């Protein structure tokens, strides 16, 4: 239905979205009939593109392509949980609602990230781009109060194992998939194409 | 939040008691290629009216406000679907609103209808829920469901919601289940039980006579979960009519008391922070002091092993109605068995067993209609409808189906509503030759848990026979 080569693009000019190119490739409705040929309904195919703002999280997604893992920290001295570090990145502290400070935890993640839990599945939803079986790992970082979910792209997951982040630094697509995980000490020559430590 | 103020922990106190007047359900199925959503909703509405010997037109005369539970507009490909159903039910110009809280949508819809009556805004409200999950291919359906996860941080990873859930199952399996074969078999036993009870329910589309080994040999979805550990994907509708005392007794001689409370927790399991366990009336602080020693890795609360939202829904609801011990004070429960393992987790969240010991509820036989270990009635039968595993999970309807099922036991009409030959025939289903009336004898009080996502929203509904209302509740 869609043609990637001609896919439209979007820019922001003067604070407004400016789509250009072709986004929609109409496809005909087709009838749905039973075994006897009786009409029951129709298919409604269509191709939709959303324009989505990352807002205050944009720095996180932009940093992945530069090989950096950015977290946030509450530095409000009056907050009951001041000093808490959040990964996943939270723009605001969930307790005092002051804007968190963005901090770089790449070195910490490379040194002490471990698997809190994991799962392996062959099943995916439509539009999945990860290879199957998909292996999710929930990654704990020392000193971070939350637990990040990610995909382990090499090796077999186990609770308590050390993992390290890898980043799609060549042609990042600016999604969470620019960040993947591999077991600690995994050889750099065996990383997926485009990814680096 | 990881600490709570007294104001936040205040037990809700309604201004007047609320009654469940009637409830009804459609047939549930994987697909209805020959029926529009309104036809299914009208089936549920008509069953509710007929249950109290009214016509739909007569019952409509009492309704003042309408709540519609419909989780995913994507599935029905219809924004403002509530308006369409409201119009087809002929309920214009009454005020109505849609409710969307994922898997808890049905429970949340009842919650809103309940508060509307309790506040005095309406004498009588309709809570009706449905889901249309058959009109996209399964992989697109999985993609839509995955959109209920965080779109930037989770959804791109596989577009598979089961995966986001399975990491919690894995953690519970390893920490509290200790990866024991016996624990795995206990999980499977829940599936056998619920598929088996589904066979006795003409509304259900997951009834199956299976064994523990069948479950253990079913295809792996995400270890340790296999296909028969997982809930169904369904289409169907359910509805309930709630009213104040005067109106309820004008509509029927047998309304039931109903009360609801709700809790919540993070959309992403990733964002859960460590906190103290909020205690239920049948728990003491000391009992969890050594949880981490007894179950290494189990000290983080709720971590990935508990559902704070379920705990808080029970925290409020038990104190609202005076429940001190759910196993003693209740006669049956309908729990949100999205997966066998989350069923076990919920036993702990709502205090049927302490944290770490949920498996005992199954292994003791307490969760059965008839305890297979003793041959005696189960102490607290669970999911006699078949639950989400054996009956249905038509998301917006599920929480209302659960309450309907609980109520039919308390009305002592479960056998009539599930054994009727004409209903089996109308639904195109064969009544099993070994059909069993699962009516819980003398049922006076029951509970239903409606649960969303990885635990983002949970409601706890308590239904009581008005002659057997517990002491210690909010109206005492």
């Amino acid at each position: 239905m869609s043609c990637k080569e001609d896919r439209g693009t979007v820019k922001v000019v003067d604070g407004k979205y400016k789509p250009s190119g072709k986004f929609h490739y109409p496809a005909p409705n087709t009838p749905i009939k039973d075994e006897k040929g009786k009409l029951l309904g129709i298919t409604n195919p269509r191709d939709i593109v959303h324009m989505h703002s990352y807002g205050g999280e944009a720095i996180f997604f932009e940093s992945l392509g530069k090989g950096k893992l950015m977290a946030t920290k509450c530095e409000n001295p009056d907050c009951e949980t001041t000093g808490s570090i959040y990964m996943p990145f939270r723009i605001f502290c969930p307790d005092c609602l002051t804007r968190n400070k963005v901090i770089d935890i790449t070195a910490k993640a490379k040194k002490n990230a471990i698997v809190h839990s994991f799962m392996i599945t062959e099943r995916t939803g439509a539009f999945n781009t990860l290879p199957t079986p998909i292996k999710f790992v929930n990654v704990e970082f020392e000193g971070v109060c939350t637990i990040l979910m990610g995909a382990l792209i090499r090796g077999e997951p186990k609770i308590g194992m050390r993992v390290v982040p890898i980043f799609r630094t060549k042609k990042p697509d600016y999604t969470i998939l620019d960040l993947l995980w591999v077991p600690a000490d995994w050889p750099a020559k065996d990383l997926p194409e485009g990814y680096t430590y | 939040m990881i600490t709570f103020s007294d104001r936040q922990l205040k037990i809700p106190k309604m201004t007047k008691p609320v009654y469940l007047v009637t409830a009804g359900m459609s047939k549930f199925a994987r697909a209805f290629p020959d029926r529009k959503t309104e036809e299914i909703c009208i089936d549920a509405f008509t069953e509710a009216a007929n249950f109290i010997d009214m016509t739909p037109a007569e019952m409509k005369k009492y309704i003042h406000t309408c709540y519609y539970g419909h989780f995913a507009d994507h599935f029905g490909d219809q924004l403002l679907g509530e308006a369409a159903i409201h119009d087809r039910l002929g309920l214009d110009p009454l005020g109505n609103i849609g409710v969307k809280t994922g898997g808890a949508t049905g429970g949340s819809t009842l919650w809103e209808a309940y508060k509307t009556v309790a506040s005095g805004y309406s004498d009588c409200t309709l809570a009706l829920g449905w889901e249309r999950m058959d009109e996209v291919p399964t992989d697109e359906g999985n993609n839509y469901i995955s959109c209920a996860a965080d779109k930037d941080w989770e959804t791109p990873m596989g577009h598979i919601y089961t995966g986001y859930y399975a990491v919690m199952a894995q953690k519970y399996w390893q920490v509290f289940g200790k990866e024991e074969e016996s624990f795995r078999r206990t999980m499977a036993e829940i599936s056998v039980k619920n598929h088996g009870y589904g066979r006795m329910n003409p509304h259900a589309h997951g009834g199956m006579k299976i064994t523990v080994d069948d479950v253990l040999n079913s295809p792996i979805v995400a270890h340790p979960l296999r296909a028969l550990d997982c809930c169904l994907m369904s289409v169907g509708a359910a509805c309930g009519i709630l009213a104040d005392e005067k109106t309820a007794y004008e509509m029927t001689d047998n309304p039931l008391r109903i009360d609801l409370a709700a809790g919540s927790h993070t959309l992403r399991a990733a964002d859960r922070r460590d906190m103290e366990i909020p205690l239920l009336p049948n728990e003491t602080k000391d009992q969890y002091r050594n949880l981490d020693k007894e179950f290494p890795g189990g000290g983080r609360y709720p971590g990935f092993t508990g559902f704070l939202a379920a705990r808080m829904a029970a925290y409020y609801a038990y104190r609202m109605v005076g429940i001190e011990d759910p196993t003693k004070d209740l006669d049956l429960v309908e729990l949100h068995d999205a997966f066998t393992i989350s069923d076990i987790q919920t036993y702990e969240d709502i205090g049927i067993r302490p944290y770490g010991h949920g498996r005992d509820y199954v292994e003791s036989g307490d969760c059965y209609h008839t305890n297979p270990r003793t041959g005696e009635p189960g102490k607290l039968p669970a999911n006699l409808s078949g639950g989400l595993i054996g009956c249905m999970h038509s998301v917006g309807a599920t929480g209302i189906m659960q309450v309907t099922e609980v109520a039919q036991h308390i009305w002592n009409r479960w056998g009539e509503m599930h054994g009727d030959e004409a209903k089996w025939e109308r639904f195109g289903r064969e009544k099993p030759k070994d059909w069993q009336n699962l009516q819980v004898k003398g049922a006076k009080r029951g509970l239903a848990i409606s649960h969303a996502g990885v635990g983002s929203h949970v409601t706890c509904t308590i239904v009581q026979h008005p002659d057997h209302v517990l002491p210690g509740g909010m109206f005492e």
Side-chain angles (χ1 to χ4, degrees), chain B residues 254-288:
Chain B
N254 302 298
L256 304 177
R257 283 283 299 274
I258 185 169
D259 291 288
L260 290 103
S264 68
H265 204 197
T266 57
L267 176 68
R268 300 180 295 219
D271 293 308
R272 295 175 172 196
R273 291 180 288 166
D274 196 15
M275 64 182 72
E276 280 190 26
I277 301 176
L279 298 174
L280 296 180
N282 61 331
E283 294 176 324
T284 61
K285 201 168 187 176
D286 286 348
Q287 78 182 83
Y288 293 125

Side-chain angles (χ1 to χ4, degrees), chain A residues 40 44 46 52 54 57 60-61 80-81 86-90 94-95 116-128 130 134 136 138 145-151 159 176-177, chain B residues 1-3 33-34 77 139-140 142-143 151-154 156-160 162-164 166-168 170-171 174 219-223 227 266 268-274 300 304:
Chain A
L40 296 175
N44 282 324
R46 113 199 52 158
H52 171 54
Y54 276 144
E57 290 182 1
F60 171 83
F61 291 99
E80 62 184 45
T81 57
Y86 297 95
M87 174 51 67
F89 189 109
R90 294 182 76 108
D95 293 322
H116 180 79
S117 190
F118 69 90
M119 78 93 219
I120 304 171
T121 186
E122 288 284 350
R123 299 189 179 203
T124 69
F127 314 115
N128 169 55
L130 285 171
I134 294 176
F136 289 157
N138 306 89
C145 67
T146 50
I147 298 170
L148 177 70
M149 186 161 79
I159 289 178
I176 192 67
L177 297 182
Chain B
M1 291 181 291
I2 53 175
T3 59
D34 58 344
D77 198 17
D139 67 338
E140 286 185 26
N142 279 324
N143 172 265
K151 66 189 274 183
D152 292 330
W153 293 76
E154 296 174 324
M157 287 194 282
H159 301 263
I160 182 77
T162 315
Y164 317 142
V167 295
M168 297 190 299
Q170 182 67 238
K171 190 72 176 177
Q174 295 209 17
I220 287 184
V221 175
H223 181 78
T266 57
R268 300 180 295 219
D271 293 308
R272 295 175 172 196
R273 291 180 288 166
D274 196 15
R300 185 178 174 120
F304 279 20

Side-chain angles (χ1 to χ4, degrees), chain B residues 161-210:
Chain B
Y161 201 91
T162 315
Y164 317 142
Y165 206 102
V167 295
M168 297 190 299
Q170 182 67 238
K171 190 72 176 177
Y172 188 96
W173 156 248
Q174 295 209 17
V175 172
F176 291 131
K178 298 183 174 177
E179 296 184 82
E180 292 170 1
E181 177 59 19
S182 61
F183 180 83
R184 186 63 193 84
R185 294 188 77 81
T186 297
M187 284 169 58
E189 196 181 321
I190 296 167
S191 171
V192 174
K193 172 176 80 72
N194 293 359
H195 281 293
Y197 289 152
R199 291 180 63 239
M200 309 304 160
N201 183 352
H203 296 270
H205 73 103
M208 279 195 278
K209 201 170 192 174
I210 53 170

Side-chain angles (χ1 to χ4, degrees), chain B residues 277-284 287-288 301 307 310-315 318-319 323-330 333 335 343-358 361 366 380 447 449 460:
Chain B
I277 301 176
L279 298 174
L280 296 180
N282 61 331
E283 294 176 324
T284 61
Q287 78 182 83
Y288 293 125
Y301 181 82
F307 295 113
R311 169 53 56 126
M312 293 311 298
Y315 181 98
Y318 287 4
R319 291 169 170 100
I323 288 177
E324 291 181 354
D325 181 338
T327 307
K328 287 182 187 154
D329 294 332
L330 299 169
V333 295
L335 306 178
D343 203 46
I344 296 176
Q345 289 168 279
T346 304
Y347 308 156
E348 302 171 3
D349 295 318
I350 65 168
I352 294 174
R353 290 293 188 277
Y355 279 112
H357 297 275
Y361 180 46
D366 287 353
L380 185 62
L447 166 151
I449 292 292
C460 178

